[in-house]
Amino acid sequence: MDQTRDTSHSTQTLAALIAGCARRDQAALQAIYERYASLMLGIARRLTGRAEQARDIVQEAFIDLWRNAEAFDPALGSAEAWLLSLVRYRALNQNRANGRALRLANAVEVESGAAAGTTAALDRLGDDRLADAIALRDCLDRLAEDRRAMVVQAYLDGHTHDDLARAFARPLGTVKTQIRAALRALQECLG
């Protein structure tokens, strides 16, 4: 590997690096690993609650990335969302396969209040994303408390819509509608 190639990978977008993986560029895979492995490990650890299992999930996600990079379509969503979904879905599937019920600590109350729950969730983001984290926290704070809790538990804690419907004692369709509305509000706020 020559040094100039490594430097060029450090400035490429994630979408370009995924495209590199589709062309079997090992340096692109390495660049993605260096940028995202710790974030992916944190997500897997949070969803499974087990460090060893989380490491296995991240390894399998990188194998999936290498084998299926050509499946990424930027027209369907962001590269980061696609990459992180490899870990999220694998972790959720692992939980189901183990027969381990996902825990809802208290679906209506977010940790020690909605703001504390949002802060704890955002603290998991890296320093390089501080501005994004602050903007997201501000936008989350504008949501109604129950909708904020649903979004945090669905997207950061990995709970399904069915889990949330039971925890919030609401019909499944209502939960899905409220989460979609909350995501639209967040998108407008962040846009």
Side-chain angles (χ1 to χ4, degrees):
M1 247 186 282
D2 69 42
Q3 200 63 13
T4 57
R5 185 174 186 149
D6 289 342
T7 303
S8 69
H9 281 299
S10 68
T11 60
Q12 286 184 316
T13 66
L14 179 57
L17 291 171
I18 292 172
C21 288
R23 293 186 310 274
R24 300 297 181 240
D25 180 350
Q26 292 180 359
L29 181 66
Q30 180 66 32
I32 294 171
Y33 182 85
E34 289 170 1
R35 289 185 199 175
Y36 287 94
S38 63
L39 176 62
M40 293 167 74
L41 184 60
I43 291 168
R45 191 176 292 151
R46 173 105 170 133
L47 292 174
T48 63
R50 301 170 78 185
E52 184 176 318
Q53 194 173 47
R55 285 190 298 272
D56 291 344
I57 286 168
V58 171
Q59 179 181 356
E60 291 169 7
F62 274 99
I63 291 169
D64 283 348
L65 165 63
W66 185 251
R67 289 181 179 162
N68 302 307
E70 67 281 348
F72 170 64
D73 182 356
L76 298 177
S78 77
E80 186 171 61
W82 183 82
L83 178 65
L84 298 179
S85 74
L86 296 176
V87 170
R88 183 174 185 272
Y89 292 127
R90 186 169 290 282
L92 293 174
N93 287 338
Q94 185 67 46
N95 285 341
R96 287 185 198 105
N98 290 342
R100 181 174 163 247
L102 292 174
R103 293 172 297 206
L104 287 175
N106 185 343
V108 178
E109 297 175 32
V110 178
E111 295 173 16
S112 60
T118 301
T119 301
L122 293 175
D123 286 344
R124 293 192 300 267
L125 296 175
D127 290 337
D128 59 329
R129 299 182 184 170
L130 185 58
D132 292 339
I134 291 169
L136 179 57
R137 181 186 347 221
D138 291 342
C139 292
L140 281 167
D141 286 344
R142 295 178 188 180
L143 295 176
E145 184 175 338
D146 61 337
R147 291 184 182 191
R148 177 175 47 244
M150 285 181 194
V151 168
V152 168
Q153 290 178 18
Y155 291 95
L156 294 177
D157 294 341
H159 297 293
T160 66
H161 291 139
D162 287 331
D163 293 335
L164 296 173
R166 282 190 297 278
F168 283 86
R170 295 186 185 155
L172 179 60
T174 301
V175 168
K176 288 180 178 182
T177 299
Q178 290 176 335
I179 290 174
R180 271 194 304 271
L183 292 175
R184 269 195 308 277
L186 285 174
Q187 188 175 25
E188 289 173 10
C189 180
L190 293 169

